[in-house]
Amino acid sequence: MAFYQVALVVAVGMAGQVLSARLGMPSILLLLGLGTAVGPDVLGWVDPRVFGDARADLVSLAVTVILFEGGLALQIEQLRTQQRSLILLLTAGGAISMLVGAWAAHRFLGMDWRLAVLYGSLVIVTGPTVVTPLLARLTVERRVRELLISEGVLVDPVGAIAAIVTFEYVAGHYEIWQTGWFLLSRLVVGSLVGGGAGLVVAEMLRRKWIAESLVNPVVLGSVLLAAALASRISAEAGLMSAVVQGVVMGNRGLRDIGPLRQFKEELTVLLLSFLFVLLAADLPLAEVRKLGSGAFAVVACLLWVARPLSVFLCTIGSELSVRERLFVSWICPRGIVAASVAGLFRIFLQREGIEGGLQLEALVFATVASSVALQGFTAGPVARLLGVHLPSLQGTMIVGADYLGRLLARLLQSYERNVALIDRNPRLCHEARRAGLSVFNGDALSVDDLELAGARYVDVVVALTTNQELNTLVAQRVRDNFRVDRILALGEERGPDAPFPGNFPGVDEANRLIRVGRAVLAEYRVGPGEWVGKKLSELPYAKTEFVVLLRRKDRVFLPTGALVLEEEDRIHCLRSAEEESPLGRIFEVVRQSEVRKFLQAG
């Protein structure tokens, strides 16, 4: 019977995911609706009581994997500029949400103070499983997106542990003065166990001790084992362990982590669907109806009082504009951790002989459904109203962080163009960072890695690795998954539409010339005369000379040979220092420098 119930819940969850993708709706809304529909109070197809005590273990297992996947996507380097705001949101912001939520539940629903405080602790979390899909449909400033997703990933274990500690105080297990210590100790235990597991597994992957076909199951097993060990040492510390292990492994510069991220992302969709349907099926609809209009008042206080107050206080002195802070204030949907822990609390409260567990669970589910519905349908209009939505993008992603890629990035950066590099080679990424460039160490064939590197925020992608086949595959991957206006892939065939017009010697030779100090970067200005109106492909070039970049008035871009010259164009060319350029005889030479010195000056 339990097997049939599991299969049915999974099937309903997948149907919800397919429908949400077809209808453009937040998936969690459909999952909650379908779960309620198949539950005992409506159709009666799914009865969560069949799982007995194992239900809590199923929920814990699924949430552990979901949080690990969220941690795996966090890039510490990108968060350093917002570190202060993030820490404050996790601490002071969580405290504000808890206090306002508890007061509102007591004030508008007459909830006993003990249950009201429990409710306040449960709604601290926002959750990456809700925030990430919501933001996937928008293009907002990268710092806004990263702050919201990072807060969602990190606040889940913090909120869950805070809720467990609060329950133990409410149940009379500890005194009030002990709660802070227990909260801190569980966070520390989870961090130490997860950090240690992440370091060990990352080193095993780096040394190739695990066969490629076994990487995904071995990593999954290590996550579950570390989380179980942490929870055995200190209750619910396993959630923190999962997040920290993900963060550690995601930031160790592993070359083959892209497939792991993709596997965990797909597994997360399955587990998330299973969890929401199962938890919604167990929701007592009669208790939800009993809440009445008071529930909406509680949710309104949480969303429109607690959230703006915490965001504006915690982001004082940050780089976020007022409009961006208003948008961050609007995005605070509650998700799977709040719902799952609320279901567990109902069982715990019954065991302790404390009444009100059903009312507490119903209020949490009402909060989840209301916040997801409201913000799922309004996030886009609010972003456009506040002017934080980016209708047009002005950035370039360069696949390949070797010398030529870094040169192109530095040139674009010198004209105030946003540039992001991505490369699988940790050494090349290190060199790019030393040059002050934004770079992501990952696999450009992974959609997840491209997303993390910033493909969502660029309108041009240039693939210039030494592998022509790889360049073509990356171009196709970008074309299929991102809104990019222009994709340039270097291949063996050189036609009028190929980038780097002129006598391009190939990526390998260009990198070698720069590496040995034999490459010269020259800038030419096109004056009035016979060459205006000519194509770049018609210019006389030295034997190894080619155009890297062209500036026209306020625009800077990578041209092709078919581009027609205009007066006052600035042409940036790279050539061997041993050659004399014929361009210097027909155009004004604005500046000329050895490429390695240009890169070091940056």
Side-chain angles (χ1 to χ4, degrees), residues 266-490:
E266 294 168 352
L267 185 60
T268 292
V269 172
L270 177 67
L271 294 174
L272 179 66
S273 306
F274 175 83
L275 275 182
F276 264 106
V277 172
L278 180 64
L279 293 171
D282 199 29
L283 179 64
L285 295 181
E287 288 296 328
V288 176
R289 288 191 288 267
K290 286 181 185 178
L291 294 175
S293 59
F296 294 104
V298 174
V299 175
C301 284
L302 194 66
L303 302 185
W304 299 330
V305 177
R307 179 61 173 180
L309 180 61
S310 63
V311 168
F312 273 82
L313 287 177
C314 296
T315 56
I316 292 175
S318 71
E319 295 180 354
L320 297 177
S321 66
V322 173
R323 292 174 179 268
E324 290 170 344
R325 292 162 80 183
L326 285 170
F327 181 73
V328 173
S329 300
W330 186 257
I331 305 299
C332 57
R334 270 52 184 178
I336 190 66
V337 170
S340 61
V341 178
L344 294 178
F345 276 10
R346 186 182 77 176
I347 299 172
F348 293 163
L349 289 170
Q350 289 173 347
R351 291 175 182 172
E352 296 290 336
I354 300 174
E355 297 182 356
L358 284 174
Q359 183 189 27
L360 175 66
E361 185 181 24
L363 180 57
V364 171
F365 267 90
T367 304
V368 171
S370 301
S371 62
V372 171
L374 175 66
Q375 294 167 17
F377 288 114
T378 62
V382 168
R384 287 185 284 272
L385 178 66
L386 293 173
V388 299
H389 179 65
L390 302 176
S392 60
L393 304 173
Q394 290 191 352
T396 301
M397 173 171 285
I398 300 171
V399 182
D402 214 334
Y403 288 98
L404 183 59
R406 300 204 296 273
L407 169 63
L408 184 58
R410 279 287 299 118
L411 276 171
L412 289 166
Q413 197 178 64
S414 68
Y415 286 119
E416 298 183 352
R417 174 100 177 167
N418 294 324
V419 186
L421 288 153
I422 179 171
D423 201 296
R424 293 181 61 182
N425 189 318
R427 180 184 62 80
L428 296 180
C429 291
H430 176 70
E431 292 295 327
R433 291 191 188 96
R434 286 182 56 191
L437 300 170
S438 175
V439 62
F440 180 80
N441 185 197
D443 185 359
L445 288 177
S446 164
V447 175
D448 193 32
D449 280 7
L450 287 170
E451 173 83 36
L452 292 171
R456 179 183 296 274
Y457 296 91
V458 302
D459 58 348
V460 178
V461 172
V462 188
L464 45 74
T465 72
T466 56
N467 186 330
Q468 286 92 9
E469 183 180 354
L470 175 61
N471 294 336
T472 303
L473 290 173
V474 169
Q476 188 61 48
R477 194 62 50 89
V478 172
R479 189 176 293 111
D480 292 342
N481 293 278
F482 297 96
R483 184 189 68 178
V484 176
D485 295 337
R486 194 168 179 229
I487 303 172
L488 301 173
L490 266 69

Side-chain angles (χ1 to χ4, degrees), residues 75-135:
Q75 293 299 302
I76 297 300
E77 187 173 336
Q78 296 172 353
L79 298 177
R80 285 175 181 166
T81 56
Q82 302 188 78
Q83 181 176 327
R84 177 178 174 276
S85 296
L86 182 59
I87 292 174
L88 287 174
L89 281 172
L90 296 176
T91 52
I96 291 172
S97 295
M98 181 174 177
L99 292 174
V100 173
W103 174 84
H106 177 73
R107 170 68 177 78
F108 295 109
L109 291 175
M111 189 176 282
D112 180 85
W113 269 114
R114 293 183 300 173
L115 291 178
V117 171
L118 270 183
Y119 169 76
S121 67
L122 283 168
V123 294
I124 289 175
V125 298
T126 56
T129 54
V130 189
V131 174
T132 303
L134 190 153
L135 292 178

